[in-house]
Amino acid sequence: MENIQTLPSANQIWYTSTDGAVINPSARYFSARIVSNNYEQGWGVITFNKPLTDIGWNAFFECKTLKSVVFPLGVVEIANGVCHGCSALEKVVIPDSVTKIGSQAFALCDSLRTISVPESVESIGEGAFDSHTEVVRRAKSMPAANEIWYSTVNNQPLELGRSIADAEVVESIYQNGMGIIRFDSDISTIGKNAFYDCRAIASITFPSSVTSVGEHAFSGCISLVRVTMTDSVQSIGALAFEGCMSLKILDLGEGVQSIGEYAFARCSSLKSFTIPERVQRVSEGLLSGCTALTKVYFGSSVSKIDSYAFERCHTLQQFYCKSISPLFGADMLPLSTGMRLYVPQDAVDMYKLSDSWSQYAERIFGYTPED
């Protein structure tokens, strides 16, 4: 585990202070409720009632005695002004799950000379760091081919079943906020029901050897916040992540070709979902009951959308199609009032004039797809 970051459990923040006393952040600016805050044996530990995903606006604003802070794996956003004016702050540990750092997040941190920012961070706001702070980009840490990495909400190891993968478990350890399961050979399959109804698991990272995820593999994992796959994964089984109501960070990789029925149904914290480039068919009930979903991005190969794919997605308002010509018709989408379809800028007229989309021409807009 030498190359795994030393991190808190998913529902904790670790910190140190210059005077060895408890620091009280702005409790209302976190995505979970603080249940305890203690300082013992040289470390402060803030514990929340559930996995933490957002460090909100001005959470540690001008905490003058804050010396170091370690955020847990599962945090997605570090918002504006989080540590603004923390003049004694010398060290910040940002996990691989973070995708956004807000403006002025670490401004006026006079003692912060260097900070390591993972490649997962896609957006850094204006003035996030002062000019004297050296920002070092680091590559994402990944497991070896015979390992799975994970974290839990209770900072305890998982009780493992007998059929996690297509190899035998030889070692399972948990320390410094991270677990590692080591197998006797490289693994290619996450087995059927491998982590079914495992309510403590908060994050999971697959090695680049995995090509398939079995049916019900993570169904009912209600605390699972983050899933990281690589481009090696080609298939995801039916109901694989059904009922993962805390799932917020999902990296499927670019190799997925098929996703089974109801694979992400009732993932009620997902706000957006990207159908990988090689997927041609959106399966029945794929995102049914994803009640926080607002955007869906279709890869350029999608030509078929099965029934109930977006059932009970009441907040869904935007579809983004990457294909330059219509591969499926408007009748395959739940085009409720206010729904918009975004297509490549040069393809707007083609969609508006097509037989299957012409009646919805006023809802079709252009955008520039990312590479």
Side-chain angles (χ1 to χ4, degrees):
M1 294 180 66
E2 293 82 4
N3 57 341
I4 302 180
Q5 292 173 295
T6 300
L7 297 171
S9 61
N11 64 329
Q12 292 182 340
I13 291 175
W14 295 344
Y15 67 91
T16 61
S17 60
T18 56
D19 57 3
V22 166
I23 289 174
N24 291 303
S26 299
R28 63 185 180 277
Y29 295 135
F30 295 96
S31 59
R33 178 173 53 84
I34 295 175
V35 294
S36 66
N37 185 0
N38 302 305
Y39 203 100
E40 298 175 356
Q41 299 180 339
W43 278 97
V45 178
I46 304 172
T47 302
F48 297 84
N49 67 325
K50 61 181 181 179
L52 198 61
T53 58
D54 299 328
I55 312 298
W57 179 76
N58 286 359
F60 290 92
F61 183 78
E62 292 191 350
C63 290
K64 299 295 186 181
T65 61
L66 183 66
K67 186 175 182 181
S68 69
V69 63
V70 184
F71 299 120
L73 196 65
V75 169
V76 182
E77 180 177 349
I78 296 174
N80 298 351
V82 161
C83 290
H84 184 285
C86 295
S87 54
L89 185 63
E90 298 177 356
K91 180 180 179 180
V92 179
V93 178
I94 300 175
D96 288 339
S97 55
V98 173
T99 61
K100 180 180 180 180
I101 298 175
S103 61
Q104 304 286 310
F106 299 96
L108 301 183
C109 293
D110 301 334
S111 302
L112 188 61
R113 298 302 172 186
T114 184
I115 187 168
S116 176
V117 176
E119 65 178 11
S120 60
V121 174
E122 301 171 352
S123 171
I124 298 178
E126 183 178 356
F129 310 101
D130 286 345
S131 59
H132 67 263
T133 301
E134 180 186 6
V135 179
V136 179
R137 283 285 195 166
R138 71 171 189 273
K140 184 185 295 185
S141 300
M142 295 298 290
N146 67 329
E147 296 176 345
I148 291 175
W149 292 352
Y150 70 92
S151 65
T152 58
V153 293
N154 57 8
N155 216 21
Q156 298 295 318
L158 296 175
E159 294 185 9
L160 303 175
R162 301 182 63 181
S163 302
I164 294 175
D166 53 341
E168 295 295 324
V169 175
V170 294
E171 184 180 30
S172 179
I173 54 179
Y174 198 96
Q175 61 188 45
N176 298 327
M178 285 294 293
I180 181 169
I181 305 168
R182 186 168 290 119
F183 300 85
D184 61 357
S185 61
D186 296 354
I187 60 173
S188 61
T189 300
I190 305 298
K192 181 179 180 180
N193 298 327
F195 296 89
Y196 178 80
D197 204 30
C198 181
R199 300 190 168 213
I201 193 168
S203 71
I204 190 84
T205 303
F206 302 150
S208 59
S209 56
V210 170
T211 60
S212 65
V213 179
E215 297 178 7
H216 289 284
F218 295 90
S219 181
C221 294
I222 60 174
S223 300
L224 185 63
V225 172
R226 174 178 177 260
V227 175
T228 303
M229 303 181 190
T230 69
D231 295 347
S232 63
V233 175
Q234 298 175 20
S235 66
I236 298 171
L239 297 148
F241 295 91
E242 184 270 334
C244 293
M245 60 181 61
S246 299
L247 185 58
K248 200 169 186 179
I249 316 159
L250 180 60
D251 186 353
L252 296 182
E254 298 180 4
V256 176
Q257 300 176 29
S258 66
I259 306 176
E261 296 178 354
Y262 294 90
F264 293 94
R266 297 196 305 116
C267 291
S268 54
S269 293
L270 276 180
K271 294 183 179 180
S272 68
F273 191 90
T274 299
I275 310 293
E277 270 298 295
R278 300 183 183 182
V279 172
Q280 298 181 21
R281 183 172 189 162
V282 178
S283 61
E284 179 179 329
L286 178 65
L287 295 164
S288 174
C290 292
T291 52
L293 196 67
T294 60
K295 301 176 183 178
V296 171
Y297 296 83
F298 294 105
S300 56
S301 299
V302 172
S303 59
K304 171 71 173 174
I305 301 173
D306 288 346
S307 58
Y308 311 115
F310 308 107
E311 182 187 29
R312 292 183 291 113
C313 295
H314 304 306
T315 59
L316 184 54
Q317 290 292 303
Q318 298 172 12
F319 289 106
Y320 291 80
C321 293
K322 202 171 183 179
S323 174
I324 60 173
S325 61
L327 296 181
F328 58 84
D331 58 319
M332 295 186 185
L333 295 179
L335 294 173
S336 59
T337 303
M339 190 76 71
R340 290 188 169 197
L341 178 76
Y342 292 86
V343 302
Q345 199 72 50
D346 295 339
V348 171
D349 289 341
M350 186 181 300
Y351 274 81
K352 287 186 174 183
L353 294 173
S354 70
D355 291 341
S356 60
W357 283 102
S358 58
Q359 63 177 313
Y360 297 103
E362 75 284 355
R363 301 194 195 182
I364 299 174
F365 300 85
Y367 84 112
T368 302
E370 297 180 0
D371 295 332

